[in-house]
Amino acid sequence: MDFKNHRQRRKTALITGACSGIGYELTCIFASQNYNLVLVDINEPKLIEISEKFTQDYGIHVKSIAIDLSISTSPDAIYLELQQASIQIDVLVNNAGFGIYGLFNETNLKSELEMIQINVVCLTHLTKLFLRHMVEQGEGKVLNVSSTAAFQPGPLMSVYFATKSYILSFSEAIANELEDTGVSVTVLCPGPTKSGFHQRTGTENSQRIKDMKMMDAKTVAEIGYRGLMTGQTLVIPGAKNRIMAEAVRFLPRKQVTKISKVVQGHGWA
């Protein structure tokens, strides 16, 4: 997708999980659209590399914040650092997140609590902190990255699916609350996507993942960006993903859960 004809005045976008996958591709898009950037990730060397490259290539200002979002104090630390630097956030992209695969009674509790902290608590906390100023200014955008996993329970990835359901419900609710304020909230729900997600879940070597036709992160990011800029509330990239997300509404929940266990294939975005 060519964004060259859609440039706008210099604003600032904050993107979490900016160093890889969909987050990195969104970072590239915002940089190409002349946005200043605040990039948040735990990977400090990669943050420095990206910041230097984008500053040189696009002539924008890039601030990198290397921080562990699984720590409960991280959102307040980010907000305070930006306040002290007098940096106003016009677009908040809550992209950071990860999944865990396995039977719930066998998976690691510490890792799952960290996942809830990043996928749910941090996303909610950052949105609360930055949304108030956007509403006061009468302008702003929030993009929350969920998944098609949000539309049904997910045996073998039970906590991950639940976190994505929260993001979808939360985003749609506050999008409704913010109507006529000048602030929009978009929730992006991609299906299985080529990214580092599968390495984190330990499923990258499964045959089903290797055989699965997945959308690439760049395409997902482009569709998400377009939806964000046009004020869409819900964005599901890909016709097949949209059909599947809609179809589960017409089946008994128990059946949906059984199907999910069979077909989820270790491969959600």
Side-chain angles (χ1 to χ4, degrees):
M1 180 176 178
D2 183 6
F3 293 112
K4 291 181 179 178
N5 295 324
H6 299 275
R7 292 184 179 274
Q8 51 185 281
R9 70 173 179 82
R10 184 70 60 86
K11 294 182 179 180
T12 300
L14 186 159
I15 304 170
T16 66
C19 287
S20 62
I22 296 170
Y24 174 73
E25 297 299 340
L26 284 166
T27 296
C28 293
I29 293 172
F30 278 102
S32 73
Q33 293 305 289
N34 203 34
Y35 276 80
N36 288 328
L37 300 173
V38 176
L39 305 182
V40 178
D41 203 286
I42 198 170
N43 189 340
E44 186 170 14
K46 188 66 174 179
L47 276 177
I48 294 172
E49 177 187 331
I50 294 172
S51 297
E52 291 177 349
K53 175 177 171 54
F54 284 8
T55 299
Q56 180 177 349
D57 290 353
Y58 297 104
I60 59 175
H61 176 76
V62 182
K63 180 176 181 59
S64 61
I65 301 177
I67 196 167
D68 184 352
L69 295 179
S70 71
I71 298 172
S72 62
T73 56
S74 292
D76 281 325
I78 293 168
Y79 186 72
L80 179 60
E81 184 170 341
L82 296 181
Q83 277 196 316
Q84 292 174 340
S86 298
I87 296 176
Q88 175 182 318
I89 300 303
D90 302 286
V91 180
L92 171 64
V93 179
N94 286 306
N95 165 76
F98 69 95
I100 294 172
Y101 176 77
L103 295 169
F104 177 71
N105 64 300
E106 297 177 356
T107 47
N108 182 272
L109 176 61
K110 181 176 182 293
S111 296
E112 283 174 328
L113 292 177
E114 289 176 348
M115 177 171 57
I116 293 169
Q117 183 67 40
I118 293 175
N119 293 14
V120 173
V121 180
C122 179
L123 177 146
T124 306
H125 196 163
L126 286 173
T127 303
K128 174 74 79 171
L129 291 172
F130 290 103
L131 192 61
R132 287 174 174 170
H133 181 74
M134 292 180 185
V135 173
E136 289 173 1
Q137 296 297 309
E139 183 179 16
K141 297 181 182 296
V142 177
L143 176 64
N144 291 328
V145 179
S146 180
S147 167
T148 51
F151 295 93
Q152 65 277 309
L156 304 179
M157 295 185 76
S158 57
V159 179
Y160 173 75
F161 274 55
T163 66
K164 293 302 181 178
S165 293
Y166 172 89
I167 295 170
L168 174 61
S169 176
F170 170 68
S171 300
E172 289 185 314
I174 61 174
N176 176 271
E177 291 178 0
L178 293 166
E179 288 179 359
D180 303 320
T181 66
V183 180
S184 64
V185 176
T186 299
V187 56
L188 174 63
C189 294
T193 303
K194 295 177 184 177
S195 68
F197 176 85
H198 309 292
Q199 285 78 18
R200 182 69 184 265
T201 61
T203 59
E204 74 275 15
N205 293 321
S206 73
Q207 191 59 47
R208 188 172 294 188
I209 285 295
K210 293 178 180 179
D211 295 341
M212 186 178 292
K213 293 182 179 179
M214 291 186 282
M215 194 172 290
D216 62 271
K218 182 178 181 181
T219 300
V220 170
E222 289 173 347
I223 294 171
Y225 179 86
R226 184 167 60 237
L228 176 70
M229 290 299 131
T230 56
Q232 295 180 48
T233 298
L234 174 61
V235 177
I236 306 174
K240 182 179 178 181
N241 291 327
R242 291 192 293 273
I243 291 170
M244 291 179 65
E246 187 70 18
V248 299
R249 297 174 52 221
F250 301 100
L251 295 172
R253 292 289 289 177
K254 190 172 183 179
Q255 187 66 25
V256 168
T257 305
K258 288 181 178 180
I259 293 171
S260 177
K261 184 176 182 180
V262 173
V263 305
Q264 64 100 350
H266 325 296
W268 297 89

